[in-house]
Amino acid sequence: MACVLGIAFLLSGWLKGVDVYGCGLRTAAIADAFGLGVPAGLAQAACVAVSSFELLLGLCLVCRLRVRVVSVVTLLLMAGFTALTAAMAVLPEGAIETCGCFGELVSLPPLPTFLKNVVLLALAAWNCRMAWRARLCVGKGGTRRLALCAAFALAVPLSSWLFLPAVDFLPYNRGTSIADNTAGMVMGKEASDGTLSVVDADSVLSCRGYTMVIVANGERTERTASMFAALSDRCRKDGVPVVSVSSGGNAPVDASHYLMDRTELRQLLRADNGAVLLRGGRVIGKWNTLTMPLASAKSITASAAVQTMILPLFLLGHVAFALVLIRAGRRRPEKNA
C-alpha cells in the first residue's frame, strides 16, 4: 500500500519538478479561476516547494522512513488535494482545463483528477491505519537516508528552474529537429507600414550552421535587455546569425524580428525570456534569464558543448542518488518511527 502511494507521489512530484515553468503556468491559471492573482515568480516558487515535498514523501513511503509521521502527513496532504480538486470540479466548464498533477505528460480534467484523488485518499487512510497498528521500532533511524532524499527532492525542481527542463515532453526539447515540428508553427513578419505577412518558419529556423534565437515572451527589464545585448554581441563576434521572436512589441535586439503565438513560444522555450541555440535546425541549447550570462560569457560553440551535457548529467545524478541511497540503507538497519 505504501509503495503504491509512494510511486504516485514520486511520479507526480518528478513530473512537476522537471518542468517548473509549466507547473507555474498551471498554478497561476488555477489561482485565476478562483479569483486569486498570483505572480508568475510566486507560482513557480510554489511549484518548487510542492514538487520537492511530493518527491520527499514518495521516497519516504517507498523506503519506509518515518513510517508513522509520513503516513499522517500523506493523509492530510491527500485530504487537501481532494478538497481542492473537488472545488475545481464544480467550477464552470472550461474554467480549468487540467490540474497539471502529472505535468505535460498526462493532462487530466478536474473531474477525473478528483476521482483519482479520492482513490489515493482511501489508500492513504488505509496506510495510516496500518502504520499505527503495526508494531514498529521506536527511534530516529534513517536520518542519513532522509537527508539524502531531501537533497534529491530539492535538486530536481531547482535544476529545472535554473537550467530549464532536461526532460521535456513538448515538441522542442534539446536534440529535436525544428523541421519535424514546424508544420503547425506560424511566424509573422511586420513591415514598416504595420502590415503583417506570414513567413515560412522552416526557412528561418532550419538554416545550416548555428542560429541563435532570442525569445522575448514576457516583461523586458533593463537587466533582460542588457543580457540580450550581450548575447547578441557574443554571437556577432563568433559569426553566429541572430533572430528574435516575440508575441508582440518591439524587437528585443537589433536583428531580424518575427512574431509568434505566445503558446507556441512557451513550447519552444519553457521561460518568458531567454534564448534557443540551433545547429542545422536542431535544438542544441536553451537558456533562461537566470543562466543566459553563461552563454554570452564564452564562445557559442563552448556554450553548446556544455548544453549537450545537461541531460546526461541529470540522468547520472538520478543513478548516483539511487546507488548512494541503497548503500546508506545497507550500512545500518533503519528503525521506523
Side-chain angles (χ1 to χ4, degrees):
M1 197 70 66
C3 282
V4 174
L5 279 171
I7 292 172
F9 273 104
L10 284 174
L11 184 62
S12 176
W14 191 85
L15 289 172
K16 289 187 183 79
V18 295
D19 186 12
V20 172
Y21 178 78
C23 179
L25 293 177
R26 300 289 187 192
T27 302
I30 292 172
D32 290 342
F34 287 104
L36 304 173
V38 178
L42 181 59
Q44 292 181 29
C47 288
V48 171
V50 172
S51 168
S52 298
F53 195 61
E54 287 186 347
L55 281 171
L56 181 59
L57 272 183
L59 288 168
C60 288
L61 285 165
V62 171
C63 297
R64 306 297 289 167
L65 298 172
R66 302 294 195 272
V67 175
R68 287 176 174 169
V69 174
V70 168
S71 68
V72 173
V73 173
T74 303
L75 179 60
L76 293 176
L77 187 63
M78 282 311 310
F81 283 162
T82 304
L84 176 61
T85 51
M88 291 165 52
V90 299
L91 288 173
E93 186 177 356
I96 298 176
E97 296 180 359
T98 176
C99 70
C101 297
F102 296 106
E104 297 293 339
L105 181 63
V106 180
S107 295
L108 291 177
L111 184 56
T113 301
F114 167 69
L115 297 177
K116 177 261 298 180
N117 283 347
V118 169
V119 174
L120 291 178
L121 177 62
L123 292 178
W126 180 260
N127 178 65
C128 186
R129 179 173 180 269
M130 296 302 295
W132 284 87
R133 289 187 63 181
R135 294 182 178 180
L136 301 171
C137 300
V138 179
K140 296 184 179 181
T143 303
R144 185 185 297 107
R145 289 204 294 170
L146 185 62
L148 288 171
C149 291
F152 176 80
L154 192 59
V156 171
L158 284 181
S159 64
S160 170
W161 201 3
L162 289 173
F163 301 104
L164 300 179
V167 179
D168 194 345
F169 299 100
L170 293 172
Y172 307 109
N173 193 13
R174 294 179 181 91
T176 58
S177 174
I178 288 289
D180 296 338
N181 299 286
T182 53
M185 182 185 289
V186 178
M187 297 182 68
K189 182 76 172 176
E190 188 174 7
S192 56
D193 59 358
T195 58
L196 189 66
S197 59
V198 178
V199 179
D200 180 21
D202 192 35
S203 64
V204 175
L205 301 178
S206 296
C207 302
R208 296 179 62 183
Y210 288 105
T211 302
M212 182 65 76
V213 182
I214 292 180
V215 180
N217 197 27
E219 182 182 356
R220 304 176 207 170
T221 63
E222 291 185 7
R223 176 177 175 272
T224 303
S226 65
M227 285 191 291
F228 282 155
L231 181 58
S232 180
D233 290 342
R234 166 56 68 183
C235 289
R236 289 190 177 92
K237 290 178 181 178
D238 292 347
V240 175
V242 178
V243 299
S244 63
V245 291
S246 69
S247 56
N250 299 324
V253 293
D254 184 15
S256 298
H257 181 62
Y258 301 90
L259 298 177
M260 286 179 61
D261 179 70
R262 180 180 292 271
T263 301
E264 193 75 29
L265 283 176
R266 285 173 172 171
Q267 292 186 352
L268 179 63
L269 182 72
R270 301 305 274 170
D272 287 335
N273 297 299
V276 178
L277 181 62
L278 309 175
R279 183 172 59 193
R282 188 173 296 277
V283 179
I284 60 172
K286 293 185 178 185
W287 298 268
N288 55 18
T289 53
L290 295 174
T291 55
M292 202 188 306
L294 298 177
S296 58
K298 55 186 72 175
S299 70
I300 298 303
T301 53
S303 300
V306 172
Q307 285 281 307
T308 59
M309 297 172 59
I310 288 180
L311 179 57
L313 288 175
F314 184 76
L315 298 178
L316 182 62
H318 284 61
V319 174
F321 165 74
L323 293 176
V324 172
L325 186 64
I326 292 172
R327 184 176 181 183
R330 287 179 176 177
R331 284 182 177 177
R332 185 175 59 188
E334 305 292 357
K335 295 180 180 180
N336 298 314

